[in-house]
């Protein structure tokens, strides 16, 4: 697993802050910016993902330094531009940017499109490149392919930016909220975990993609649910609970009448992002108290906990002994269903007899800011980074000598906000 990759290469009223949101047609944007490219038909008008532009500061921009940061996952991406003081000037949301799925040319084109749009909204001429852009993208874990992405951007879009630094999406998320190190655990379309120690050394767990990994992700939840249905109806392995909710939900979501109809979604027309969205229906099943859905999410919680157990063993003592224990930044839509994963998660942590204390944190800002922080460091642009303001603690675990788990200590991260103060929890002693 790669850590930080430093790479060097060759609407509203003007004058006032805008808080309104504008919808930009991505298809039109692509047609205007990249007419004649190989993949003009890659997205049609009806399925194209809209760009959501959040114009946060349309004030006069200092001309000295402009830095970009892009966070890209398997479903969508977010791009920001900051100034030399670390202030966010603009935020642009766009489509996924995983080069393993799209290819280098298409990924570079999407990145350039967001950069161009950000410049346009800030009245920056297209011919003036940003000083540096940090790219923290899903699939960017390898030195060779990261270099290839940079070379493609510099060759095809020389006016986009003077310099780039490329890293995995996990690093961008971690550097958004933690300064000296910790763990980031992504559970979105896919899953990935990364530990960074104070000495800069990194250790990874997972992140190998849906064919051999992605445990704890939305894809895994969707696949697990489908597998239960197929095996139960074949009488190969009986589902632990009735499939009376999952099977009709599957037919309705994928628009099929039988299991044979599912084959196109699993093979010929497979789309990982779309397939993973079925996990939302399993979450709805949890809301309806369906036993099979609840068991799937509980198992998913156990899998996420195992990522932390694996990396905890390699974490430096400075991280473990800090206030609140080892910090874990949790990223991705699967964490929205924490209440359904919590019991399995806690039980796995507690039974492992490895972890004494840790805190789970949510980001309160886009992790694209962490990408821009990395870019600023690459060009030696110093400014104070508001790490504590970028996170909030939503769960704190501390084991005592009697096998009990304490509640959140309000003295932890006083400058952070606490989303959910848990009551006192006691687990069976293992």
């Amino acid at each position: 697993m790669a850590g930080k990759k430093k790479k060097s290469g060759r609407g509203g009223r003007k004058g006032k802050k805008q808080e309104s949101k504008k919808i930009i047609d991505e298809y039109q944007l692509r047609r205007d910016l990249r007419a004649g490219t190989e993949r003009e038909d890659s997205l049609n008008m009806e399925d194209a993902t809209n760009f959501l532009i959040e114009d946060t500061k349309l004030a006069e921009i200092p001309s000295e330094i402009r830095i970009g940061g892009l966070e890209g996952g398997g479903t969508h991406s977010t791009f920001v531009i900051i100034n030399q003081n670390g202030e966010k000037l603009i935020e642009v949301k766009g489509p996924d940017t995983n080069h393993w799925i799209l290819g280098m040319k298409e990924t570079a084109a999407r990145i350039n499109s967001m950069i161009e749009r950000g410049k346009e909204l800030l009245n920056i001429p297209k011919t003036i490149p940003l000083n540096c852009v940090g790219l923290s993208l899903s699939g960017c874990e390898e030195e060779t392919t990261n270099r290839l992405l940079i070379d493609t951007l510099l060759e095809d879009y020389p006016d986009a930016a003077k310099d780039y630094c490329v890293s995995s999406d996990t690093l961008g998320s971690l550097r958004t909220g933690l300064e000296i190190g910790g763990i980031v655990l992504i559970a979105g379309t896919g899953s990935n975990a990364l530990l960074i120690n104070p000495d800069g050394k990194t250790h990874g767990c997972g992140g190998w993609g849906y064919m051999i990994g992605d445990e704890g992700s939305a894809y895994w939840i969707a696949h697990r649910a489908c597998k239960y249905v197929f095996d139960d109806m074949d009488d190969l392995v009986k589902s632990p609970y009735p499939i009376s909710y999952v099977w009709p939900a599957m037919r309705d979501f994928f628009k099929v009448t039988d299991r044979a109809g599912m084959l196109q979604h699993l093979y010929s027309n497979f789309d990982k992002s779309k397939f993973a969205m079925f996990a939302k229906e399993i979450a709805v099943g949890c809301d309806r108290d369906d036993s099979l859905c609840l068991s799937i999410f509980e198992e998913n919680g156990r899998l996420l906990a195992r990522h932390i157990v694996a990396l905890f063993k390699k974490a430096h003592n400075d991280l473990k002994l800090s206030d609140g224990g080892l910090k874990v930044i949790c990223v991705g839509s699967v964490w929205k269903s924490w209440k359904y994963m919590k019991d399995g998660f806690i039980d796995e942590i507690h039974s492992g007899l490895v972890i004494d204390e840790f805190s789970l944190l949510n980001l309160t800002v886009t992790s694209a800011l962490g990408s821009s922080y990395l870019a600023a460091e690459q060009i030696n642009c110093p400014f104070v980074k508001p790490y504590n303001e970028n996170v909030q603690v939503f769960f704190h675990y501390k084991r005592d000598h009697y096998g009990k788990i304490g509640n959140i200590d309000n003295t932890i991260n006083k400058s952070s906000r606490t989303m959910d103060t848990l009551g006192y929890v006691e687990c069976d002693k293992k």
Side-chain angles (χ1 to χ4, degrees), residues 308-309 312-313 315 317 319-327 346 348-359 395-407 412:
I308 298 177
V309 172
F312 188 90
K313 303 171 185 176
N317 282 338
L319 299 179
K320 297 178 182 179
L321 298 176
S322 63
D323 289 342
L326 181 64
K327 305 298 189 301
I346 294 174
E348 187 68 28
I349 293 290
H350 200 56
S351 63
L353 299 176
V354 171
I355 300 177
D356 295 316
E357 185 178 13
F358 69 92
S359 294
F395 179 73
H396 173 233
Y397 174 99
K398 187 173 184 179
R399 185 201 306 268
D400 65 20
H401 297 296
Y402 301 98
K404 297 177 181 177
I405 304 171
N407 66 336
I412 297 171

Side-chain angles (χ1 to χ4, degrees), residues 351-369:
S351 63
L353 299 176
V354 171
I355 300 177
D356 295 316
E357 185 178 13
F358 69 92
S359 294
L360 300 183
L361 296 79
N362 278 341
L363 292 178
T364 60
V365 296
T366 172
S367 56
L369 282 175

Side-chain angles (χ1 to χ4, degrees), residues 29 65 70 114 142 145 148 158 161 174 253 257 347 392 400:
L29 177 63
I65 299 178
L70 194 150
M114 284 185 277
E142 295 185 3
T145 53
L148 179 58
L174 189 143
F253 179 84
T257 57
D347 187 61
Q392 60 183 3
D400 65 20

Side-chain angles (χ1 to χ4, degrees), residues 413-428:
N413 288 340
K414 289 182 178 180
S415 58
S416 300
R417 293 176 292 165
T418 301
M419 182 182 71
D420 179 26
T421 301
L422 302 178
Y424 187 81
V425 181
E426 182 172 350
C427 293
D428 293 334

